[in-house]
Amino acid sequence: MNAKRFLVIVIWLLLSAGGSAMAQHISLDDLRSKNVHTSAKADAQLRQLNRDAVQICIEILKQSQGKLEPADRRVVAFRVLGALRDKRAVNALCKHIELRATFALASEGRLPTIGEWYPAAGALAKIGKLAARDCLWELTKENSAQRRECFCWVIGKVEGPEVGRFVLMLALAKETDAKRKARLEAAVPVFEELFPLKQPDRRNYRPRDERD
């Protein structure tokens, strides 16, 4: 089963639980139809399906509390929100960014990333630059060490080490409120530890015949 069809089935289950009639009418095969009306109707239904799914996932996050267990419905909600990449989910994901998974899966040969341990952070990184911008603002607020690390990770994951550090330092330089500025300053070493800049090979700055 391909990923898109699996995602539609997951969304269908979410909508069915939420009582949405839209889940009863969607057909991916209609997207292939040579009839423009049929394919356009399927496209509109799929877009509405996604919007409904995002809203239900946000409601799930708002209604649930406590630790994140393997069978927790929030696990699916995080996965769906990351896949749909809807900016409306950013605020809810930021509020739950410190929820840690019981276990995290990673590909062979590497350790799990922060985004795999903290699925809200992983979903925010998939949403991209809009999420990174909000995470930057969140860093100006009072945060636990774990929330600060997760927000920094999202910014670095989206922007990369160099641009991410530039964005953070620019925000720090422009900030005029003393408390917010201090919180951004506290985030800088956290970001730099997560995303260290590569040091240039200084041998390349010497004449070639003097290099090792």
Side-chain angles (χ1 to χ4, degrees), residues 89-118:
V90 170
N91 186 52
L93 290 169
C94 285
K95 287 181 178 179
H96 295 83
I97 200 168
E98 79 283 2
L99 281 177
R100 192 177 193 275
T102 306
F103 62 89
L105 297 176
S107 59
E108 188 176 352
R110 69 170 180 83
L111 296 174
T113 66
I114 286 178
E116 288 161 339
W117 279 116
Y118 297 88

Side-chain angles (χ1 to χ4, degrees), residues 11-75:
I11 293 173
W12 184 88
L13 291 172
L14 284 169
L15 293 178
S16 296
S20 172
M22 179 63 69
Q24 301 172 13
H25 305 295
I26 188 68
S27 172
L28 287 180
D29 291 333
D30 286 347
L31 290 172
R32 299 190 180 96
S33 175
K34 294 180 180 180
N35 184 297
V36 176
H37 175 74
T38 300
S39 59
K41 181 180 178 181
D43 173 63
Q45 289 176 328
L46 185 57
R47 290 175 187 273
Q48 185 61 50
L49 183 75
N50 289 351
R51 287 192 291 269
D52 290 347
V54 168
Q55 188 56 46
I56 287 176
C57 288
I58 291 174
E59 289 173 3
I60 288 173
L61 297 184
K62 289 180 178 179
Q63 295 167 1
S64 304
Q65 296 180 350
K67 294 181 179 180
L68 195 62
E69 302 295 341
D72 197 311
R73 59 182 183 164
R74 288 174 293 180
V75 173

Side-chain angles (χ1 to χ4, degrees), residues 78-79 81-83 85 93 96-99 113-128 131 135 150-151 153-154 157-158:
F78 288 135
R79 191 178 306 145
L81 292 175
R85 303 182 181 186
L93 290 169
H96 295 83
I97 200 168
E98 79 283 2
L99 281 177
T113 66
I114 286 178
E116 288 161 339
W117 279 116
Y118 297 88
L124 285 165
K126 290 179 180 177
I127 292 173
C135 287
C150 286
F151 288 132
W153 180 85
V154 174
K157 183 67 175 178
V158 172

